[in-house]
DNA sequence: CAATCAATGTTATTATATAACGGATTGGTA
DNA sequence: TACCAATCCGTTATATAATAACATTGATTG
């Protein structure tokens, strides 16, 4: 379970995780690095190693199309398998959607191709609600 | 339609597109560059500019999680909206799946969040059929 | 021809990620 | 305690991916 894992985070992991939860949006590894210099983080590897562990714990997800990272917004989502994100191309807002159905759909789609599915990345690009209404006024 | 667009490709676009179709697998921009040096391509920008156009034409897709590019394997697929790829984590094989249902599912999922969906990237990681049978022997 | 626009060539720079090495810390265990 | 193994840590250097800036070429067209 996550909350117990969270308690076991090392110092660097804690720093990186806090940076991501504070940000309430995706951050690149180098943006995290810049924000943590005053806390003693000096090199990219310190950030990347912490991120690797956080990804492994399921506390953080990687946004492939943005080369950046977000804290998981589903405290109970320990699946680590299928994540769905919306990415607003105007304001940059990112939301993580919870959906069981898509995971099943992708599973059966993979089966058709005899592909043993381990993990899925779904990234949706478009406009968030706020940016839609803003552009139609 | 694609075949007509293909006839209108410029020299650099043609070179890059041919490199991708010959490869029968994903290539990074720099791998393309290395393969085309003897044809007069010398700088990353020459490759990236050609790729931008090919992506726009729908002749090529970008694999976000691999930072690489593949020629579209669906001659009639001009949708340019929802692509689904399987990526074998053992042998690196990539397949582009054709599926109308997933696109609809993602559309309605986005609707729930009042998100105006423009394009979707779906990348499935796991093991291809060949690598499964190879690992169970 | 002159204006325009897309494509090109080149150099330099930024952004993202990993390799390689050694030292420090932790947790069990003889 | 002394030992071992595993993990985490810090540092330097390097690899890989993508873009900025600017000048030039070549086709289109009015
Ligand atoms: Zn999550
Ligand atoms: Zn928005
Ligand atoms: Zn395609
Ligand atoms: Zn395989």
């Amino acid at each position: 379970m996550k909350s117990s894992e969270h308690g076991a985070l090392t110092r660097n992991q804690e720093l990186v995780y806090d940076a991501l939860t504070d940000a309430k949006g995706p951050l690149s590894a180098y943006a995290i690095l810049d924000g943590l210099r005053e806390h003693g983080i000096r090199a990219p590897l310190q950030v990347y190693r912490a991120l690797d562990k956080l990804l492994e714990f399921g506390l953080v997800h990687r946004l492939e199309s943005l080369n950046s990272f977000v804290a998981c917004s589903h405290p109970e989502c320990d699946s680590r398998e299928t994540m769905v994100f919306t990415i607003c191309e105007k304001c940059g807002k990112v939301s993580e959607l919870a959906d069981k159905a898509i995971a099943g759909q992708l599973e059966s789609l993979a089966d058709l191709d005899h592909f043993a599915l381990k993990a899925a990345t779904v990234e949706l690009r478009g406009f968030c609600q706020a940016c839609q209404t803003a552009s139609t006024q």
Side-chain angles (χ1 to χ4, degrees), chain A:
Chain A
M1 208 299 195
K2 282 186 184 180
S3 36
S4 62
E5 290 169 347
H6 187 182
L9 292 183
T10 67
R11 173 179 158 77
N12 288 2
Q13 289 160 15
E14 187 80 41
L15 284 170
V16 170
Y17 183 61
D18 288 350
L20 284 173
T21 50
D22 290 353
K24 263 307 174 191
L27 292 178
S28 74
Y30 280 75
I32 295 170
L33 172 59
D34 286 340
L36 293 178
R37 288 196 191 277
E38 58 190 7
H39 293 82
I41 302 293
R42 275 167 251 195
L45 256 197
Q46 296 177 280
V47 175
Y48 281 108
R49 287 200 277 229
L51 286 171
D52 283 345
K53 283 298 174 184
L54 294 169
L55 289 168
E56 188 182 316
F57 297 156
L59 290 171
V60 162
H61 302 303
R62 177 185 165 83
L63 288 157
E64 301 290 352
S65 63
L66 297 179
N67 290 329
S68 60
F69 304 85
V70 286
C72 176
S73 54
H74 299 146
E76 306 307 330
C77 149
D78 58 354
S79 80
R80 249 152 285 178
E81 286 168 6
T82 299
M83 278 82 56
V84 180
F85 296 95
T86 58
I87 303 171
C88 179
E89 292 188 328
K90 186 176 285 186
C91 71
K93 179 188 175 192
V94 169
S95 300
E96 182 180 356
L97 306 184
D99 189 86
K100 302 286 184 190
I102 288 291
Q105 294 280 333
L106 293 175
E107 183 78 40
S108 52
L109 182 57
D111 283 346
L112 290 178
D113 215 41
H114 306 289
F115 186 84
L117 183 61
K118 296 295 178 190
T121 297
V122 180
E123 299 182 14
L124 309 181
R125 271 153 290 140
F127 299 108
C128 75
Q129 187 170 23
C131 289
Q132 288 169 65
T133 57
S135 63
T136 55
Q137 69 188 354

